[in-house]
Amino acid sequence: MTVTAADVGDRTAAQVLLARVADARHRLEPVWADGGYTGSLVEHCLAAFALVLAIVKRSDDMRGFVVLPKRWIVERLFAHLMQSRRLVRDFERRTTSAEAMVYWSMTGLMTRRLARQRPSRA
């Protein structure tokens, strides 16, 4: 995960993030992205990291809300993050503080999931 300043474009941030996780590429095949990441980033991923960047696009003939493959995972993550009051608005002055708040929020989510009582399998 990478939190960037508002003046950093998504494609530039994606290049930085993919460079940071390139060592774990055996677990990153393929990489899914939305239509905002088209263009030179697809070729850059293939040339620099040997990763296939698959673009999940919305069809032009779809109307209203439609669940798109793999994008619902990201949207669900954003929904979980927005349950944290501190992340609803951009209160942080530094990106490191914002990144720490995201980690804090996800740690709370994972802790709640791990602490849930599960029915015994007998």
Side-chain angles (χ1 to χ4, degrees):
M1 180 195 64
T2 301
V3 176
T4 61
D7 63 346
V8 177
D10 288 344
R11 292 182 188 137
T12 305
Q15 287 181 359
V16 173
L17 177 63
L18 289 170
R20 285 176 56 188
V21 297
D23 294 334
R25 73 171 181 242
H26 63 279
R27 298 184 318 198
L28 291 177
E29 299 227 3
V31 176
W32 291 287
D34 68 4
Y37 295 94
T38 57
S40 62
L41 184 61
V42 176
E43 290 84 25
H44 176 74
C45 280
L46 197 55
F49 310 117
L51 290 174
V52 175
L53 183 65
I55 305 297
V56 179
K57 291 187 178 180
R58 181 184 164 123
S59 175
D60 291 336
D61 59 342
M62 292 182 187
R63 306 218 28 102
F65 176 76
V66 178
V67 177
L68 297 176
K70 302 299 177 188
R71 283 198 37 195
W72 68 270
I73 298 169
V74 175
E75 299 301 330
R76 183 183 60 192
L77 171 70
F78 288 150
H80 287 306
L81 289 175
M82 289 303 110
Q83 289 179 352
S84 297
R85 184 173 178 216
R86 184 91 181 243
L87 296 174
V88 172
R89 301 281 183 264
D90 191 17
F91 293 121
E92 311 306 324
R93 291 181 183 260
R94 296 180 308 185
T95 57
T96 54
S97 298
E99 191 171 336
M101 289 299 120
V102 171
Y103 281 124
W104 179 52
S105 176
M106 291 309 298
T107 301
L109 174 68
M110 291 186 305
T111 304
R112 283 190 301 275
R113 286 184 179 177
L114 289 171
R116 256 191 299 202
Q117 293 289 332
R118 300 186 186 231
S120 62
R121 295 183 186 185

